[in-house]
Each structure stands twice: as structure tokens, then as C-alpha cells.
Amino acid sequence: MTTLTRRSLLGTAAGAAAIAALPRAAFAKELLRMSTLGPGTSPNLVMTTFANIVNGALPAYEIQLNATGAATRHVLEVAMGRSDFCMSSPAIHALMRNKAAMYAKIDEAPELVKKLRTVLNFPMGVYHIAVYGDSGITSMDQIAGKRVFLGPPGGAAFATMNRLFKAVAGLEEGKDYEAVKLGWDAAAAAFQDGNIDVYCNPTNAPSPALTQIAVTNEIRFLGIPADKLETEAVQKLVGRPGFSAAVLPAGVYGDNQLNDSDATTLGVTVGIVANENADEEMIYQMTKAFYAGVEEAGESAPWLRAVTPAAAVKDINLALHPGSLRALTELGVEIPDAAQG
């Protein structure tokens, strides 16, 4: 039996006619790489949703997700044209421009950030600092001697929570408490199994993972006390690009959430970026398709309701890609000067 290949099929008149009759997308689908954070994070949820919506609505494209590695590295790959999309943040853009922190030894960083364009921003969420109701922990100063998940080692969340606990309670990682070294997904499972005392995650509320836990367990979220919020150390965290003081509402996780009042915490904005040379029409179509899909999906996925066209330009400090600029303008978004390019 002869194996039918595209080459042999093209060798016959009937085969040529059959190929001509097939949809153009059958052979013209463009594969695109999108890098994000690992499972268990709101960027992974939002960007997986972006890929699924685009792949379903625009058959000419297929976005393939990469959920390994760090965002600080992913942005360099996109800027150099080695990847198509990635999660980034206003904080990362500021560090690249100033050749600071992890970019201190990368001389090209200030030029590379100029090659990036914002597709859209979205709220990464608010920092949830979760404990079980029967733990006896009601404030940050009581985490001394406990096992704490700050975020994956070397990541931005780990550094942020490390600084927050020191600023609020004077507690140092490795000295006053144990920082558990796990990835996002493994940490959520460990907290659910009772192997972690304090679980930190910047995510939109209600988080699917924490909602699942709160169905059968009493939980409490620790907040920044009012008398600590205005201190210099906390204000340095709040004042970073893309960061703000935010509220985690009481009751958002139902009757098993023990907070009597809203918890004050940190809010974070992140985004999807592309290379400046990405096709304008492609980005335009993807942006329009995404928000149309999100509006529909928000009915059954409450965490998606914070992902809106208006949020696409919140805290923005990197110009919008022309395709996104056109799409968001058509969606009625007021475009700030920082997004104009």
C-alpha cells in the first residue's frame, strides 16, 4: 500500500484540485510562542485564556504556551525576536531602562526595552497572604518560626514578600522564619495539604485555588496594619512601577473567610508584550478577539471580571503596539500619553 503524502498528492491533478479546495489556514497557520509564569498564577490563567480565545477565534494563528523560566528572561527573548509574546510588568520595564537589579550587568537592557511594545495590561491581582483559621496566626508578626511560601525562589514575588514581612514585622527570611522553596503549583498543593503555614500569592480574587480550599476550610488573609502603611519601607514597595496599596475584600471567599474587615495589601499590574515589529493587523485582531471572549467568559469565571479594556492601560509605562492602540481606541479606552509611544 502506498503512503499518501502531501508530495505524492500534489503529483496528481485530482490531488492538486483537492489541495486547492482546502482552507488556506490548513497550511498557512502561523505558530507563535508565548511565555508566562507557571500554573497556579493569575498570569498563567489570563494568558492561557488569551491563547485559547485567539486560537479558537483566529484560525490563521496558533499560540503555544511556554510556562517555564522567569519573566525577566522572557522579555529579553521577545526584545531580541526569539519569542513572540511574554508576560512583563511596569517594574521590569523600569529596571531595564535603569540597568538595575538583574539587568545591572546587561549593557543592552536600555536599548532592548525600546524594542518592546505593550499588547495589554491586566491586574495580576492582590497579594493574598493566607493562613488557616485554626493556625492561630492573625497578623504578620506571628509568622516567626513558621514555614512560609513567599513565591518561587529568585522571582519577583519572593523578593516582594520578603521585603514586606521585614518592613511590617521586622522578620527576616532564613533567620526568623523558613521560606519554603517551591514553584507555584507545588506550593498551592503543599498549603492545601497543611505542609505550609503561610501561603502568599499575587492573584485576582477570588482565586480558583484558594476558593477550592475555602470550601471546606476556614481561612484568614493577613493585611498591612494602618500604622505600618505610611512607613518609608512600605511606601517604597507601594510606590514601585505597577504596584499600589490594594484591598482584599472581606467575604470574597465566602463564609469560611474569617476576616471581619477588608485586608490592606499590595496590588500588582502586569501585561502581555510583543516585539515592536509584530504585525499590526495580527495584534489588532487578537486584542479585539480577546476582550470579546473575556466578556463572554466572565459570566462563569469571576476572576476574569477584572480583565477589562480599561485595565489594559493601567500603570502603563511602555507604549502600546499600534495594533493594540487601534483596537483599544475602538473599544472606547482613553489612551494615556505614556501608551502613545
Side-chain angles (χ1 to χ4, degrees):
M1 179 177 177
T2 302
T3 301
L4 188 63
T5 65
R6 186 169 179 237
R7 181 187 294 264
S8 62
L9 188 61
L10 284 169
T12 68
I19 292 292
L22 287 174
R24 184 175 181 274
F27 297 120
K29 181 173 287 192
E30 184 174 354
L31 300 180
L32 302 161
R33 186 170 185 257
M34 172 180 278
S35 296
T36 184
L37 300 187
T41 64
S42 57
N44 185 285
L45 283 169
V46 172
M47 294 174 74
T48 298
T49 301
F50 183 96
N52 289 340
I53 289 173
V54 168
N55 290 349
L58 304 175
Y61 306 104
E62 181 178 332
I63 296 176
Q64 299 177 335
L65 281 177
N66 163 46
T68 61
T72 48
R73 178 63 189 176
H74 294 158
V75 294
L76 298 178
E77 294 172 349
V78 172
M80 291 186 284
R82 297 174 183 171
S83 184
D84 300 289
F85 303 98
C86 74
M87 190 212 86
S88 188
S89 71
I92 286 177
H93 307 151
L95 292 173
M96 290 180 73
R97 290 187 182 109
N98 296 322
K99 227 178 76 164
M102 67 287 296
Y103 299 110
K105 296 182 179 179
I106 302 178
D107 293 336
E108 303 88 350
E111 289 303 313
L112 286 172
V113 73
K114 295 177 183 178
K115 298 183 181 299
L116 297 172
R117 293 292 181 272
T118 301
V119 176
L120 56 93
N121 278 354
F122 61 89
M124 185 174 185
V126 298
Y127 270 93
H128 292 56
I129 306 171
V131 297
Y132 282 102
D134 60 5
S135 68
I137 302 172
T138 59
S139 62
M140 290 189 198
D141 58 353
Q142 294 175 337
I143 72 169
K146 304 298 185 182
R147 289 169 53 82
V148 181
F149 176 70
L150 302 171
F158 186 102
T160 296
M161 286 292 96
N162 186 9
R163 288 177 60 183
L164 183 66
F165 288 137
K166 185 174 182 180
V168 171
L171 300 176
E172 295 187 26
E173 177 266 322
K175 177 182 176 183
D176 299 305
Y177 63 89
E178 178 189 353
V180 179
K181 309 297 197 297
L182 291 172
W184 292 110
D185 216 21
F191 181 61
Q192 191 164 7
D193 291 341
N195 296 322
I196 292 174
D197 301 302
V198 184
Y199 171 74
C200 304
N201 192 343
T203 183
N204 288 316
S207 154
L210 288 166
T211 296
Q212 182 179 345
I213 291 172
V215 168
T216 55
N217 300 275
E218 292 185 334
I219 59 173
R220 176 181 287 107
F221 296 100
L222 308 183
I224 304 170
D227 64 330
K228 296 292 186 179
L229 184 59
E230 299 303 322
T231 62
E232 182 180 356
V234 173
Q235 283 299 305
K236 282 184 177 178
L237 287 172
V238 171
R240 291 182 296 167
F243 282 77
S244 63
V247 168
L248 180 57
V252 72
Y253 286 95
D255 293 340
N256 276 341
Q257 182 181 345
L258 299 181
N259 298 80
D260 295 325
S261 58
D262 298 344
T264 300
T265 184
L266 298 177
V268 190
T269 296
V270 294
I272 300 174
V273 298
N275 189 279
E276 62 180 351
N277 294 322
D279 181 72
E280 179 178 340
E281 184 63 23
M282 176 186 76
I283 299 295
Y284 168 78
Q285 291 181 18
M286 288 181 174
T287 305
K288 290 294 287 282
F290 174 63
Y291 285 113
V294 163
E295 185 175 1
E296 182 177 344
E299 296 299 319
S300 57
W303 59 271
L304 259 182
R305 293 173 189 166
V307 182
T308 64
V313 295
K314 186 179 188 304
D315 295 328
I316 196 164
N317 65 352
L318 180 76
L320 284 167
H321 188 280
S324 281
L325 177 61
R326 178 155 59 101
L328 293 170
T329 300
E330 289 183 7
L331 290 170
V333 176
E334 185 175 345
I335 309 297
D337 291 343
Q340 299 279 2

